[in-house]
Short mmCIF file of all heavy atoms in Angstrom, two decimals:
data_model
loop_
_atom_site.label_atom_id
_atom_site.label_comp_id
_atom_site.label_asym_id
_atom_site.label_seq_id
_atom_site.Cartn_x
_atom_site.Cartn_y
_atom_site.Cartn_z
N VAL A 1 1.19 -0.19 5.60
CA VAL A 1 2.65 -0.18 5.59
C VAL A 1 3.10 1.21 5.15
O VAL A 1 2.57 1.76 4.19
CB VAL A 1 3.23 -1.24 4.63
CG1 VAL A 1 4.76 -1.18 4.65
CG2 VAL A 1 2.75 -2.64 5.00
N LEU A 2 4.06 1.77 5.87
CA LEU A 2 4.63 3.05 5.49
C LEU A 2 6.15 2.92 5.44
O LEU A 2 6.76 2.42 6.39
CB LEU A 2 4.25 4.15 6.50
CG LEU A 2 4.93 5.51 6.32
CD1 LEU A 2 4.53 6.15 4.99
CD2 LEU A 2 4.60 6.44 7.48
N VAL A 3 6.75 3.34 4.34
CA VAL A 3 8.20 3.33 4.18
C VAL A 3 8.65 4.73 3.81
O VAL A 3 8.13 5.34 2.88
CB VAL A 3 8.65 2.33 3.07
CG1 VAL A 3 10.16 2.38 2.91
CG2 VAL A 3 8.17 0.93 3.40
N LYS A 4 9.63 5.25 4.57
CA LYS A 4 10.19 6.57 4.29
C LYS A 4 11.64 6.42 3.84
O LYS A 4 12.42 5.75 4.51
CB LYS A 4 10.11 7.47 5.52
CG LYS A 4 8.72 7.99 5.85
CD LYS A 4 8.76 8.90 7.06
CE LYS A 4 7.42 9.56 7.31
NZ LYS A 4 7.08 10.57 6.29
N ASP A 5 11.95 7.04 2.72
CA ASP A 5 13.32 7.08 2.21
C ASP A 5 13.79 8.52 2.29
O ASP A 5 13.35 9.38 1.52
CB ASP A 5 13.36 6.59 0.75
CG ASP A 5 14.77 6.49 0.19
OD1 ASP A 5 15.64 7.25 0.65
OD2 ASP A 5 15.00 5.66 -0.71
N PHE A 6 14.68 8.80 3.24
CA PHE A 6 15.10 10.18 3.47
C PHE A 6 16.14 10.66 2.46
O PHE A 6 16.36 11.85 2.30
CB PHE A 6 15.61 10.35 4.90
CG PHE A 6 14.53 10.16 5.93
CD1 PHE A 6 14.44 8.98 6.65
CD2 PHE A 6 13.59 11.14 6.14
CE1 PHE A 6 13.44 8.80 7.59
CE2 PHE A 6 12.57 10.97 7.07
CZ PHE A 6 12.50 9.79 7.80
N ASP A 7 16.79 9.71 1.77
CA ASP A 7 17.71 10.11 0.70
C ASP A 7 16.95 10.77 -0.45
O ASP A 7 17.33 11.82 -0.97
CB ASP A 7 18.47 8.89 0.17
CG ASP A 7 19.72 8.60 0.98
OD1 ASP A 7 20.24 9.54 1.60
OD2 ASP A 7 20.16 7.45 1.01
N ASP A 8 15.85 10.10 -0.86
CA ASP A 8 15.07 10.58 -2.00
C ASP A 8 13.87 11.43 -1.58
O ASP A 8 13.07 11.83 -2.43
CB ASP A 8 14.57 9.39 -2.83
CG ASP A 8 15.70 8.64 -3.50
OD1 ASP A 8 16.76 9.26 -3.70
OD2 ASP A 8 15.53 7.45 -3.80
N LEU A 9 13.72 11.67 -0.27
CA LEU A 9 12.57 12.41 0.25
C LEU A 9 11.27 11.78 -0.25
O LEU A 9 10.35 12.46 -0.73
CB LEU A 9 12.64 13.88 -0.16
CG LEU A 9 13.86 14.67 0.33
CD1 LEU A 9 13.83 16.08 -0.21
CD2 LEU A 9 13.95 14.67 1.84
N GLN A 10 11.19 10.47 -0.11
CA GLN A 10 10.07 9.72 -0.68
C GLN A 10 9.31 8.95 0.39
O GLN A 10 9.91 8.36 1.29
CB GLN A 10 10.59 8.74 -1.74
CG GLN A 10 9.51 7.94 -2.44
CD GLN A 10 10.13 6.87 -3.33
OE1 GLN A 10 10.57 5.83 -2.87
NE2 GLN A 10 10.17 7.15 -4.63
N ASP A 11 7.99 8.96 0.28
CA ASP A 11 7.11 8.16 1.13
C ASP A 11 6.38 7.14 0.26
O ASP A 11 5.83 7.49 -0.79
CB ASP A 11 6.07 9.03 1.83
CG ASP A 11 6.66 9.88 2.95
OD1 ASP A 11 7.88 9.78 3.17
OD2 ASP A 11 5.89 10.63 3.58
N VAL A 12 6.39 5.90 0.71
CA VAL A 12 5.63 4.84 0.05
C VAL A 12 4.64 4.29 1.07
O VAL A 12 5.05 3.87 2.17
CB VAL A 12 6.54 3.71 -0.46
CG1 VAL A 12 5.70 2.58 -1.08
CG2 VAL A 12 7.55 4.24 -1.47
N SER A 13 3.37 4.31 0.74
CA SER A 13 2.36 3.77 1.66
C SER A 13 1.51 2.72 0.95
O SER A 13 1.19 2.85 -0.24
CB SER A 13 1.47 4.88 2.20
OG SER A 13 0.75 5.51 1.16
N VAL A 14 1.17 1.67 1.69
CA VAL A 14 0.34 0.58 1.19
C VAL A 14 -0.78 0.36 2.20
O VAL A 14 -0.53 0.31 3.41
CB VAL A 14 1.15 -0.72 1.02
CG1 VAL A 14 0.29 -1.80 0.36
CG2 VAL A 14 2.42 -0.48 0.21
N LYS A 15 -2.01 0.23 1.71
CA LYS A 15 -3.15 0.01 2.58
C LYS A 15 -3.95 -1.19 2.09
O LYS A 15 -4.14 -1.37 0.87
CB LYS A 15 -4.07 1.24 2.62
CG LYS A 15 -3.40 2.48 3.22
CD LYS A 15 -4.37 3.66 3.24
CE LYS A 15 -3.70 4.91 3.80
NZ LYS A 15 -3.37 4.75 5.23
N TYR A 16 -4.44 -1.99 3.03
CA TYR A 16 -5.27 -3.16 2.73
C TYR A 16 -6.60 -3.01 3.47
O TYR A 16 -6.62 -2.77 4.68
CB TYR A 16 -4.59 -4.45 3.18
CG TYR A 16 -3.22 -4.67 2.58
CD1 TYR A 16 -2.07 -4.29 3.27
CD2 TYR A 16 -3.07 -5.29 1.34
CE1 TYR A 16 -0.81 -4.50 2.74
CE2 TYR A 16 -1.81 -5.51 0.80
CZ TYR A 16 -0.68 -5.11 1.51
OH TYR A 16 0.57 -5.31 0.98
N ARG A 17 -7.70 -3.18 2.74
CA ARG A 17 -9.01 -3.04 3.35
C ARG A 17 -9.98 -4.11 2.82
O ARG A 17 -9.71 -4.78 1.84
CB ARG A 17 -9.58 -1.64 3.06
CG ARG A 17 -8.79 -0.49 3.66
CD ARG A 17 -8.82 -0.48 5.17
NE ARG A 17 -8.16 0.69 5.73
CZ ARG A 17 -6.86 0.72 6.05
NH1 ARG A 17 -6.10 -0.34 5.85
NH2 ARG A 17 -6.34 1.83 6.57
N ASP A 18 -11.13 -4.19 3.48
CA ASP A 18 -12.23 -5.09 3.08
C ASP A 18 -11.76 -6.54 3.00
O ASP A 18 -11.84 -7.19 1.94
CB ASP A 18 -12.83 -4.66 1.74
CG ASP A 18 -13.48 -3.28 1.80
OD1 ASP A 18 -13.63 -2.76 2.92
OD2 ASP A 18 -13.81 -2.73 0.74
N PHE A 19 -11.30 -7.06 4.12
CA PHE A 19 -10.86 -8.46 4.17
C PHE A 19 -12.05 -9.39 4.03
O PHE A 19 -13.11 -9.18 4.63
CB PHE A 19 -10.12 -8.74 5.48
CG PHE A 19 -8.73 -8.18 5.51
CD1 PHE A 19 -8.51 -6.84 5.81
CD2 PHE A 19 -7.63 -8.98 5.24
CE1 PHE A 19 -7.23 -6.31 5.84
CE2 PHE A 19 -6.34 -8.46 5.27
CZ PHE A 19 -6.15 -7.13 5.57
N LYS A 20 -11.86 -10.43 3.24
CA LYS A 20 -12.92 -11.38 2.94
C LYS A 20 -12.34 -12.78 2.94
O LYS A 20 -11.15 -12.98 2.73
CB LYS A 20 -13.53 -11.05 1.56
CG LYS A 20 -14.70 -11.91 1.14
CD LYS A 20 -15.21 -11.49 -0.23
CE LYS A 20 -16.34 -12.38 -0.70
NZ LYS A 20 -16.83 -11.98 -2.04
N MET A 21 -13.20 -13.78 3.19
CA MET A 21 -12.75 -15.16 3.18
C MET A 21 -12.78 -15.73 1.77
O MET A 21 -13.79 -15.71 1.09
CB MET A 21 -13.65 -16.02 4.08
CG MET A 21 -13.14 -17.43 4.30
SD MET A 21 -11.67 -17.48 5.34
CE MET A 21 -12.39 -17.28 6.98
N TYR A 22 -11.61 -16.18 1.32
CA TYR A 22 -11.49 -16.87 0.03
C TYR A 22 -10.89 -18.25 0.30
O TYR A 22 -9.73 -18.35 0.71
CB TYR A 22 -10.56 -16.11 -0.93
CG TYR A 22 -11.04 -14.75 -1.36
CD1 TYR A 22 -10.64 -13.61 -0.69
CD2 TYR A 22 -11.88 -14.60 -2.47
CE1 TYR A 22 -11.06 -12.35 -1.10
CE2 TYR A 22 -12.30 -13.35 -2.88
CZ TYR A 22 -11.90 -12.23 -2.19
OH TYR A 22 -12.30 -10.99 -2.60
N GLU A 23 -11.67 -19.28 0.08
CA GLU A 23 -11.18 -20.65 0.27
C GLU A 23 -10.47 -20.80 1.62
O GLU A 23 -9.33 -21.21 1.70
CB GLU A 23 -10.23 -21.04 -0.86
CG GLU A 23 -10.86 -21.02 -2.23
CD GLU A 23 -9.86 -21.39 -3.32
OE1 GLU A 23 -8.73 -21.80 -3.00
OE2 GLU A 23 -10.23 -21.28 -4.51
N ASP A 24 -11.14 -20.45 2.68
CA ASP A 24 -10.70 -20.52 4.08
C ASP A 24 -9.47 -19.66 4.38
O ASP A 24 -8.79 -19.85 5.38
CB ASP A 24 -10.47 -21.97 4.54
CG ASP A 24 -9.21 -22.65 4.01
OD1 ASP A 24 -8.34 -21.99 3.42
OD2 ASP A 24 -9.11 -23.87 4.20
N ARG A 25 -9.18 -18.68 3.53
CA ARG A 25 -8.08 -17.74 3.77
C ARG A 25 -8.63 -16.31 3.75
O ARG A 25 -9.33 -15.94 2.83
CB ARG A 25 -6.98 -17.89 2.71
CG ARG A 25 -6.30 -19.26 2.68
CD ARG A 25 -5.48 -19.34 1.41
NE ARG A 25 -4.67 -20.53 1.31
CZ ARG A 25 -5.06 -21.67 0.71
NH1 ARG A 25 -6.28 -21.75 0.21
NH2 ARG A 25 -4.25 -22.71 0.65
N LYS A 26 -8.28 -15.53 4.77
CA LYS A 26 -8.69 -14.13 4.80
C LYS A 26 -7.74 -13.32 3.93
O LYS A 26 -6.53 -13.35 4.11
CB LYS A 26 -8.67 -13.60 6.23
CG LYS A 26 -9.67 -14.25 7.17
CD LYS A 26 -9.65 -13.57 8.53
CE LYS A 26 -10.58 -14.24 9.51
NZ LYS A 26 -10.02 -15.52 10.02
N PHE A 27 -8.33 -12.58 2.99
CA PHE A 27 -7.52 -11.82 2.04
C PHE A 27 -8.23 -10.51 1.74
O PHE A 27 -9.45 -10.46 1.63
CB PHE A 27 -7.35 -12.63 0.74
CG PHE A 27 -6.23 -12.14 -0.13
CD1 PHE A 27 -4.91 -12.48 0.15
CD2 PHE A 27 -6.48 -11.34 -1.23
CE1 PHE A 27 -3.87 -12.03 -0.65
CE2 PHE A 27 -5.45 -10.88 -2.04
CZ PHE A 27 -4.13 -11.23 -1.73
N PRO A 28 -7.48 -9.40 1.58
CA PRO A 28 -8.12 -8.10 1.34
C PRO A 28 -8.69 -8.01 -0.08
O PRO A 28 -8.06 -8.43 -1.04
CB PRO A 28 -6.99 -7.10 1.54
CG PRO A 28 -5.74 -7.87 1.22
CD PRO A 28 -6.00 -9.26 1.69
N GLN A 29 -9.87 -7.42 -0.16
CA GLN A 29 -10.45 -7.15 -1.48
C GLN A 29 -9.84 -5.90 -2.10
O GLN A 29 -9.84 -5.75 -3.32
CB GLN A 29 -11.96 -6.95 -1.36
CG GLN A 29 -12.77 -8.22 -1.20
CD GLN A 29 -14.25 -7.92 -1.17
OE1 GLN A 29 -14.77 -7.33 -0.23
NE2 GLN A 29 -14.95 -8.30 -2.22
N ARG A 30 -9.34 -5.01 -1.25
CA ARG A 30 -8.84 -3.73 -1.75
C ARG A 30 -7.40 -3.49 -1.32
O ARG A 30 -7.04 -3.67 -0.15
CB ARG A 30 -9.72 -2.57 -1.26
CG ARG A 30 -11.14 -2.66 -1.81
CD ARG A 30 -11.96 -1.43 -1.44
NE ARG A 30 -13.32 -1.55 -1.94
CZ ARG A 30 -13.71 -1.22 -3.16
NH1 ARG A 30 -12.84 -0.74 -4.03
NH2 ARG A 30 -14.98 -1.36 -3.54
N LEU A 31 -6.60 -3.09 -2.28
CA LEU A 31 -5.20 -2.72 -2.06
C LEU A 31 -4.98 -1.34 -2.66
O LEU A 31 -5.32 -1.11 -3.83
CB LEU A 31 -4.28 -3.75 -2.72
CG LEU A 31 -2.83 -3.33 -3.03
CD1 LEU A 31 -2.06 -3.04 -1.76
CD2 LEU A 31 -2.12 -4.42 -3.84
N SER A 32 -4.45 -0.43 -1.88
CA SER A 32 -4.10 0.89 -2.42
C SER A 32 -2.63 1.15 -2.16
O SER A 32 -2.08 0.76 -1.13
CB SER A 32 -4.96 1.99 -1.80
OG SER A 32 -4.78 2.06 -0.40
N PHE A 33 -2.02 1.84 -3.10
CA PHE A 33 -0.58 2.03 -3.09
C PHE A 33 -0.30 3.47 -3.53
O PHE A 33 -0.89 3.96 -4.48
CB PHE A 33 0.05 1.03 -4.07
CG PHE A 33 1.53 1.15 -4.22
CD1 PHE A 33 2.38 0.49 -3.35
CD2 PHE A 33 2.09 1.92 -5.23
CE1 PHE A 33 3.75 0.59 -3.49
CE2 PHE A 33 3.46 2.03 -5.37
CZ PHE A 33 4.29 1.37 -4.49
N GLU A 34 0.59 4.15 -2.79
CA GLU A 34 0.90 5.54 -3.11
C GLU A 34 2.38 5.82 -2.93
O GLU A 34 2.98 5.38 -1.95
CB GLU A 34 0.08 6.48 -2.23
CG GLU A 34 0.23 7.96 -2.60
CD GLU A 34 -0.69 8.85 -1.79
OE1 GLU A 34 -0.33 9.14 -0.63
OE2 GLU A 34 -1.76 9.23 -2.31
N VAL A 35 2.96 6.53 -3.88
CA VAL A 35 4.36 6.97 -3.81
C VAL A 35 4.38 8.49 -3.95
O VAL A 35 3.86 9.02 -4.93
CB VAL A 35 5.21 6.32 -4.93
CG1 VAL A 35 6.66 6.79 -4.82
CG2 VAL A 35 5.14 4.80 -4.86
N VAL A 36 4.97 9.16 -2.99
CA VAL A 36 5.04 10.61 -2.99
C VAL A 36 6.49 11.04 -2.83
O VAL A 36 7.19 10.60 -1.92
CB VAL A 36 4.20 11.22 -1.85
CG1 VAL A 36 4.27 12.75 -1.91
CG2 VAL A 36 2.76 10.76 -1.92
N ASP A 37 6.96 11.88 -3.75
CA ASP A 37 8.28 12.49 -3.63
C ASP A 37 8.19 13.92 -4.16
O ASP A 37 7.12 14.34 -4.62
CB ASP A 37 9.35 11.66 -4.36
CG ASP A 37 9.11 11.55 -5.86
OD1 ASP A 37 8.75 12.57 -6.48
OD2 ASP A 37 9.30 10.46 -6.43
N PRO A 38 9.25 14.71 -4.08
CA PRO A 38 9.14 16.12 -4.49
C PRO A 38 8.73 16.33 -5.95
O PRO A 38 8.21 17.40 -6.29
CB PRO A 38 10.56 16.66 -4.24
CG PRO A 38 11.11 15.79 -3.16
CD PRO A 38 10.56 14.44 -3.44
N LYS A 39 8.96 15.35 -6.81
CA LYS A 39 8.68 15.54 -8.24
C LYS A 39 7.42 14.83 -8.71
O LYS A 39 6.82 15.22 -9.71
CB LYS A 39 9.86 15.06 -9.07
CG LYS A 39 11.14 15.88 -8.87
CD LYS A 39 12.25 15.35 -9.77
CE LYS A 39 13.51 16.18 -9.61
NZ LYS A 39 14.62 15.68 -10.48
N HIS A 40 7.01 13.74 -8.02
CA HIS A 40 5.93 12.91 -8.56
C HIS A 40 4.95 12.50 -7.47
O HIS A 40 5.29 12.43 -6.30
CB HIS A 40 6.50 11.65 -9.22
CG HIS A 40 7.47 11.91 -10.32
ND1 HIS A 40 7.08 12.38 -11.56
CD2 HIS A 40 8.82 11.79 -10.37
CE1 HIS A 40 8.14 12.53 -12.32
NE2 HIS A 40 9.21 12.19 -11.63
N LEU A 41 3.74 12.20 -7.93
CA LEU A 41 2.72 11.58 -7.09
C LEU A 41 2.10 10.45 -7.89
O LEU A 41 1.51 10.66 -8.94
CB LEU A 41 1.64 12.59 -6.69
CG LEU A 41 0.39 12.00 -6.00
CD1 LEU A 41 0.78 11.26 -4.73
CD2 LEU A 41 -0.63 13.09 -5.70
N LEU A 42 2.31 9.24 -7.40
CA LEU A 42 1.79 8.05 -8.06
C LEU A 42 0.87 7.33 -7.09
O LEU A 42 1.23 7.12 -5.93
CB LEU A 42 2.94 7.14 -8.48
CG LEU A 42 2.65 5.80 -9.17
CD1 LEU A 42 3.85 5.38 -10.01
CD2 LEU A 42 2.33 4.68 -8.18
#
């Protein structure tokens, strides 16, 4: 998922990887999240 906010010059990205079966439901083992703007990197 990628979200761009042009007011704040901010990018928010979410990534899901390594999907695995948990109790007959496919769910990612790994979630990564990043927020980038002119002042901060989270």
Side-chain angles (χ1 to χ4, degrees):
V1 180
L2 172 64
V3 178
K4 286 182 173 290
D5 185 332
F6 294 103
D7 274 335
D8 294 337
L9 300 177
Q10 182 187 78
D11 287 0
V12 177
S13 63
V14 186
K15 296 180 181 294
Y16 303 95
R17 296 294 185 269
D18 296 350
F19 284 82
K20 183 180 177 180
M21 188 71 78
Y22 295 95
E23 299 179 7
D24 74 11
R25 298 168 174 92
K26 295 185 183 75
F27 197 80
Q29 283 183 291
R30 296 186 182 276
L31 160 64
S32 61
F33 177 86
E34 186 175 79
V35 180
V36 181
D37 62 42
K39 295 182 178 180
H40 302 287
L41 170 59
L42 179 155

